[in-house]
């Protein structure tokens, strides 16, 4: 398992999740979005498996993550509600079922309204009952846990009362990430891991993303003073994640320097 990038409270490994190693029961929270098996050109990963192979892959990575989670650990899985390629498939229901067969216990499902209905073009049989395509402009975030939902130890929560009230409403509205601008074919916006991390973990907890991609979960976890661990099979995306993380660290340092200068000026 090759350590590709490290910083204080952050480690990114260039490794397939199926070959990665972590101490058993060492992770507090997993926030991730696995491949949807819709033929996206990721590079090192084949996103066009037979249904049986895809479900086998899902069972394997979910099983490994289950062993890494602490007894009161949680997992947030962002997936499409359903997919249409190569044929209609209830992706969200399938991943949830497989996770529960592995041993996870179900807690809730958040519906993420992506606010991009106007971009839809796949209508099927236009204005005809022949073969219309029903497409929901949403994805879901499935919340599961290992053995117990209630946390064993009480830590420090950094969520505000307003955030808690809004985010325990299982209907979230925010825009998706711009894949062209970011340079990754299937990124999620930082708002997604931010909400999951603040709602479901304490300051200082360990957060894992086994499909780190462009590093969004790592950045969100570090911003919120959690320890971040990421696995990514594609070297190109490891490089992208490392560059993004370094830019984030630089902007954070510049912001801290600016705040210090403002305070110093006021004191003088």
């Amino acid at each position: 398992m090759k350590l590709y990038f490290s910083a204080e409270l952050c480690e990114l490994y260039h490794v397939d999740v199926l070959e990665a190693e972590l101490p058993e029961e060492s992770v507090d929270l997993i926030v991730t979005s696995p491949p949807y098996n819709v033929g996206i050109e990721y590079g090192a990963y084949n996103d066009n498996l037979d249904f049986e192979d895809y479900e086998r892959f899902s069972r394997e990575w979910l099983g490994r993550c289950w062993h890494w989670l602490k007894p009161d650990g949680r997992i947030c899985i962002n997936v499409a509600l359903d997919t249409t390629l190569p044929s209609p498939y209830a992706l969200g229901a399938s991943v949830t079922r497989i996770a529960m067969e592995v041993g996870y216990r179900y807690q809730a499902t958040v519906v993420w309204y992506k606010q991009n209905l106007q971009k839809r073009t796949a209508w099927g049989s236009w204005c005809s009952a022949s073969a219309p395509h029903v497409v929901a402009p949403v994805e879901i975030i499935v919340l599961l846990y290992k053995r117990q939902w209630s946390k064993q130890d009480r830590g420090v929560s950094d969520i505000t009362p307003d955030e808690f009230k809004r985010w325990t409403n299982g209907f979230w509205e925010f825009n998706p990430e711009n894949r062209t601008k970011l340079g990754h074919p299937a990124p999620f916006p930082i708002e997604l891991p931010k909400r999951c991390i603040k709602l479901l973990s304490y300051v200082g907890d360990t957060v894992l993303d086994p499909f780190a991609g462009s590093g969004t979960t790592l950045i969100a976890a570090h911003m919120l003073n959690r320890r971040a661990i990421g696995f990514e099979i594609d070297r190109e995306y490891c490089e992208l994640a490392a560059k993004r993380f370094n830019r984030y660290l630089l902007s954070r340092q510049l912001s801290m320097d600016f705040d210090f200068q403002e305070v110093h000026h006021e004191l003088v």
Side-chain angles (χ1 to χ4, degrees):
M1 192 164 87
K2 181 179 179 181
L3 179 62
Y4 189 90
F5 171 84
S6 66
E8 185 180 7
L9 297 178
C10 180
E11 299 171 355
L12 173 62
Y13 293 89
H14 178 209
V15 66
D16 185 340
V17 61
L18 302 185
E19 299 175 357
E21 296 292 341
L22 281 178
E24 190 168 346
E25 298 190 346
S26 62
V27 174
D28 296 284
L29 175 66
I30 297 171
V31 181
T32 196
S33 184
Y36 292 1
N37 203 43
V38 290
I40 292 176
E41 295 184 6
Y42 281 112
Y45 172 78
N46 177 15
D47 193 47
N48 191 24
L49 303 173
D50 292 337
F51 283 140
E52 294 78 7
D53 291 335
Y54 179 72
E55 293 197 349
R56 186 180 305 111
F57 167 71
S58 299
R59 192 178 305 277
E60 289 177 0
W61 77 258
L62 282 164
R64 295 182 69 81
C65 288
W66 191 90
H67 287 289
W68 295 328
L69 277 178
K70 294 179 180 179
D72 59 356
R74 290 92 177 262
I75 184 170
C76 304
I77 309 172
N78 167 226
V79 292
L81 182 64
D82 48 35
T83 62
T84 58
L85 297 174
S87 60
Y89 179 62
L91 178 62
S94 176
V95 171
T96 303
R97 170 182 56 81
I98 293 170
M100 295 179 67
E101 290 173 355
V102 166
Y104 294 92
R105 300 178 182 180
Y106 178 82
Q107 178 64 22
T109 296
V110 172
V111 176
W112 168 28
Y113 173 47
K114 301 174 67 174
Q115 303 181 344
N116 60 349
L117 182 61
Q118 71 278 7
K119 297 181 181 180
R120 181 183 171 192
T121 58
W123 302 102
S125 58
W126 176 254
C127 293
S128 169
S130 174
H133 291 174
V134 177
V135 179
V138 302
E139 292 192 3
I140 60 173
I141 303 149
V142 186
L143 312 182
L144 305 112
Y145 60 100
K146 187 170 182 176
R147 291 198 178 95
Q148 61 185 69
W149 180 248
S150 179
K151 300 292 284 183
Q152 289 182 323
D153 300 318
R154 294 299 176 93
V156 176
S157 289
D158 55 352
I159 191 168
T160 68
D162 179 65
E163 288 171 338
F164 189 86
K165 286 189 292 184
R166 288 189 292 114
W167 298 349
T168 50
N169 179 338
F171 187 79
W172 293 356
E173 296 183 65
F174 48 84
N175 290 324
E177 187 58 82
N178 186 317
R179 66 184 67 183
T180 302
K181 178 181 177 181
L182 196 59
H184 187 279
F188 53 51
I190 200 164
E191 185 68 16
L192 192 155
K194 171 190 169 183
R195 293 189 183 196
C196 294
I197 291 167
K198 292 191 77 172
L199 182 63
L200 299 173
S201 71
Y202 294 130
V203 174
D205 278 357
T206 296
V207 178
L208 169 68
D209 187 345
F211 302 96
S214 60
T216 304
T217 297
L218 305 184
I219 294 172
H222 193 274
M223 288 175 61
L224 298 171
N225 298 308
R226 273 72 166 174
R227 182 191 176 203
I229 302 174
F231 301 145
E232 174 53 48
I233 190 174
D234 193 295
R235 184 180 182 85
E236 179 180 345
Y237 299 148
C238 283
E239 182 65 17
L240 173 60
K243 287 181 178 178
R244 286 190 72 206
F245 199 92
N246 279 323
R247 287 198 299 269
Y248 147 72
L249 290 178
L250 178 60
S251 65
R252 184 183 186 188
Q253 184 60 50
L254 290 174
S255 177
M256 292 173 63
D257 291 345
F258 178 79
D259 291 343
F260 174 79
Q261 291 171 11
E262 287 289 301
V263 172
H264 179 71
H265 178 73
E266 291 177 5
L267 291 174
V268 173

